[in-house]
Amino acid sequence: MNIILYGPPGSGKTAVGYALARRLEREFVDSDSLVEASAGRAIPEIFEQSGEAEFRRLEAEACAEVARRPGVVAALGGGALLNPANRAALERTGLVLCLRAEPAEMLARLKAEGNRPLVAGDDPEAKLASLLEARRELYASFSAQVDTSGKSVEAIAEEIENLLEPRTLRVDAPGLRHEIVLGYGLLERLPALLAERGLDGSVALVTDENVASCLAPLPDVPTLRLPPGEAQKNLDTARQVYDFCLANGLDRRSLLIALGGGVIGDLTGFAAATYMRGIRLVNVPTTLLAMVDASLGGKTGVDLPQGKNLVGAFHPPVVVISDLLLLNTLPSAERVSGMAEVVKHGLIGDAALFEEIEAAPKSFGSLAQMQRAIEVKVRVVEADPFEKGQRAALNLGHTIGHGVEAASGFAQRHGEAVAIGTAAEARLAAALGLCEPNLPGRIEAVLQSVGLPVRCPGLEPQAIRQAMSADKKKASGRLKFALPKRVGEVVWGVEVEEVVLMETLRMIIEV
Ligand SMILES: NC(=O)c1ccc[n+]([C@@H]2O[C@H](COP(=O)([O-])OP(=O)(O)OC[C@H]3O[C@@H](n4cnc5c(N)ncnc54)[C@H](O)[C@@H]3O)[C@@H](O)[C@H]2O)c1
Ligand SMILES: [Zn+2]
């Protein structure tokens, strides 16, 4: 995995890059130096003699070269990733860290370096401010951000070195014990990570075609590539997984790896739970939703035509390997969809996580945010591994959400349906006097600012209601809801009168 430092001029990329490369004993490359070397001229000369277009062409070549040299630390020119093709190429093989600092400090650094066009002319403050404004969205769009203000080069390099160190979390509940490794560049180290944990035996991997076309699954491991989508989460596809396991000679000592989103995880997990009465499962989630939710806690299952997750088993993975680098290829709508579960985890048990999203709704997927969202689920699962009580809190947004998902014929993504369900269930909570009257509005505002829907015009309330009945979360024929009490706390096991529920369902289809 490459480590790529990016950010505005003066954010410290080159100095930190050198220091980091030294600490990690890696080669350091600088895109501007690559450009100068290939052109045989200094950058100001390239601009003067051949124009900016020629510079950008050479810069794109330099980015492609960095992407071809895995294992380096690289610093990029401040405009290099304005070109999305450069970004896609680099993010396929590397982690881009966006460095930033207070503008006054950036200017001071640039002046100290001298020979920088930005600070050479009049009013460098204004020039820097307008450059930062023009690139604000670009710089903010990287999930790994490092604030370099007031820190020494070595301190920043150390901070980045720590960020690169995988975190290990544990679900410590009898019958559901498993480890979660969270970090960057873990897929390429998967064989070593399994070996370190004594996870040997024959291995096979299940994934879907989208994932396989974006990521390079393990070259020597037999791989089943299924078509993508919720429609695959069924018993016929589970049967295909059994056939694949048999064809590859998997026995009770083997490992089955699920590389994909929640669909692949639930399906492969179910196959692993049942093949030869259960073989070991390794989850390698590739969506934000699967990382913070579906891959954790041991629930596996498939859908029946009558409803979602109607057949399943508790079968914890032996380990979950969450590689945040895999989120780089995830389509933005899928990333947004996964945020519904992060918001849900904030509502259930981490008010500060919710408030952080409220304050910066567009910055998602950072290591710290993912870790906190995972920790909420881990705590709930540990308190109630087999859903006798508290684990029902995780159903927040899901009782109505599953109804919306099914009534839409699964056109609505899981996370989108959960967002609509969460908004609706907050309204229910308010109607029942369980929460402050302003809570539903606050929750809806956060979901919408993340980019999630909170209404589903076009669906029939009755169809949503019927689909909810097929959902397995009803105990003894009655629906039980998990409802928000305040940010960070939910109540569960709540029964709701039919008229109140139908009123809410009519409300969520309004435009
Ligand atoms: N077991 C649990 O506890 C649990 C919890 C929550 C959700 N779930 C289940 O999870 C499922 C939803 O999961 P999901 O949202 O991950 O959907 P998904 O698995 O369908 O993935 C979403 C889409 O993204 C694609 N994709 C996945 N990773 C990619 C990557 N890195 N790059 C490019 N494309 C990629 C997939 O091919 C798919 O098209 C539902 O079936 C839901 O019931 C289970
Ligand atoms: Zn969910």
Side-chain angles (χ1 to χ4, degrees):
M1 174 181 74
N2 282 335
I3 297 152
I4 294 150
L5 306 183
Y6 189 53
S11 57
K13 295 164 293 188
T14 308
V16 173
Y18 268 118
L20 185 64
R22 213 176 30 246
R23 294 176 86 98
L24 299 174
E25 296 179 359
R26 288 178 178 222
E27 186 190 348
F28 174 72
V29 292
D30 177 276
S31 69
D32 284 350
S33 308
L34 290 179
V35 166
E36 290 185 335
S38 82
R41 289 176 287 170
I43 288 174
E45 282 172 42
I46 304 173
F47 267 84
E48 221 168 87
Q49 296 163 2
S50 316
E52 179 170 353
E54 173 63 4
F55 171 74
R56 295 291 172 206
R57 192 188 65 75
L58 293 166
E59 190 178 53
E61 268 176 18
C63 289
E65 186 179 337
V66 172
R68 279 193 300 271
R69 289 161 69 173
V72 300
V73 173
L76 304 181
L81 300 187
L82 287 165
N83 177 349
N86 292 351
R87 179 171 181 173
L90 288 162
E91 285 191 328
R92 259 174 188 262
T93 51
L95 167 65
V96 178
L97 293 134
C98 190
L99 274 48
R100 60 196 158 78
E102 291 301 327
E105 193 166 338
M106 290 197 274
L107 277 176
R109 288 175 188 162
L110 290 171
K111 281 182 188 150
E113 274 174 41
N115 193 27
R116 298 287 293 242
L118 193 73
V119 289
D122 294 338
D123 208 354
E125 281 85 5
K127 273 202 246 163
L128 180 64
S130 86
L131 180 141
L132 290 177
E133 185 47 35
R135 296 182 186 165
R136 191 159 49 91
E137 266 185 40
L138 172 71
Y139 290 142
S141 68
F142 297 91
S143 61
Q145 299 272 335
V146 181
D147 188 353
T148 66
S149 311
K151 296 175 189 161
S152 72
V153 167
E154 280 305 322
I156 303 160
E158 188 180 352
E159 189 178 321
I160 295 175
E161 207 180 348
N162 289 336
L163 199 67
L164 297 172
E165 221 17 72
R167 314 272 192 277
T168 303
L169 313 169
R170 278 187 182 76
V171 176
D172 205 359
L176 276 191
R177 258 188 199 105
H178 65 82
E179 208 182 3
I180 302 151
V181 189
L182 176 67
Y184 297 103
L186 301 179
L187 180 60
E188 65 185 35
R189 288 168 50 195
L190 188 61
L193 291 168
L194 297 180
E196 280 164 22
R197 287 162 178 77
L199 297 170
D200 49 9
S202 50
V203 189
L205 185 146
V206 181
T207 189
D208 74 30
E209 278 154 7
N210 288 346
V211 174
S213 68
C214 292
L215 314 171
L218 308 178
D220 305 326
V221 174
T223 297
L224 176 64
R225 294 168 183 224
L226 296 167
E230 181 76 27
Q232 292 301 313
K233 218 177 99 175
N234 64 45
L235 287 169
D236 291 335
T237 317
R239 167 74 191 267
Q240 276 185 53
V241 181
Y242 302 141
D243 290 342
F244 164 74
C245 291
L246 282 169
N248 286 287
L250 264 64
D251 60 22
R252 298 208 54 200
R253 290 196 58 259
S254 302
L255 280 177
L256 197 55
I257 302 173
L259 175 71
V263 166
I264 288 295
D266 279 10
L267 168 77
T268 310
F270 178 68
T274 45
Y275 178 73
M276 295 195 173
R277 297 198 185 82
I279 63 171
R280 290 173 300 171
L281 168 71
V282 173
N283 271 341
V284 186
T286 63
T287 63
L288 199 153
L289 183 139
M291 288 181 190
V292 299
D293 195 358
S295 67
L296 313 168
K299 276 196 193 178
T300 73
V302 294
D303 306 334
L304 294 182
Q306 292 90 331
K308 259 181 76 92
N309 301 329
L310 290 177
V311 178
F314 282 100
H315 187 67
V318 282
V319 63
V320 180
I321 308 284
S322 277
D323 180 354
L324 294 179
L325 219 50
L326 307 187
L327 298 180
N328 284 342
T329 57
L330 191 64
S332 135
E334 296 296 343
R335 234 178 282 194
V336 169
S337 168
M339 281 302 286
E341 309 277 11
V342 180
V343 172
K344 179 191 85 174
H345 289 184
L347 281 171
I348 290 172
D350 188 342
L353 173 62
F354 181 91
E355 282 154 12
E356 236 174 57
I357 302 169
E358 203 168 31
K362 293 293 175 204
S363 49
F364 26 95
S366 72
L367 183 66
Q369 186 183 68
M370 297 292 281
Q371 181 171 346
R372 290 178 73 163
I374 290 170
E375 279 167 351
V376 171
K377 174 138 186 187
V378 167
R379 280 200 301 275
V380 175
V381 168
E382 283 180 341
D384 176 22
F386 298 106
E387 203 164 329
K388 303 266 191 280
Q390 192 186 337
R391 191 162 172 171
L394 293 169
N395 290 336
L396 176 67
H398 281 63
T399 312
I400 294 179
H402 279 164
V404 168
E405 198 179 4
S408 77
F410 296 98
Q412 202 77 252
R413 288 183 177 85
H414 178 73
E416 293 166 352
V418 167
I420 295 163
T422 305
E425 291 176 13
R427 298 260 163 206
L428 264 185
L432 298 174
L434 288 170
C435 68
E436 291 286 316
N438 71 354
L439 188 64
R442 193 174 161 202
I443 292 174
E444 283 182 8
V446 169
L447 292 167
Q448 284 179 302
S449 58
V450 162
L452 285 159
V454 294
R455 296 283 184 275
C456 49
L459 294 186
E460 284 298 322
Q462 204 51 48
I464 301 172
R465 179 65 190 85
Q466 264 166 19
M468 287 167 64
S469 286
D471 198 79
K472 66 185 182 338
K473 262 126 215 160
K474 63 195 162 104
S476 60
R478 301 189 64 93
L479 287 172
K480 306 253 187 184
F481 288 83
L483 298 177
K485 204 169 159 191
R486 61 174 67 87
V487 172
E489 191 181 347
V490 288
V491 283
W492 61 90
V494 183
E495 293 189 12
V496 178
E497 274 181 50
E498 205 56 37
V499 277
V500 183
L501 174 58
M502 287 312 295
E503 221 167 83
T504 305
L505 295 184
R506 274 193 291 277
M507 192 261 317
I508 62 169
I509 63 151
E510 282 166 17
V511 189

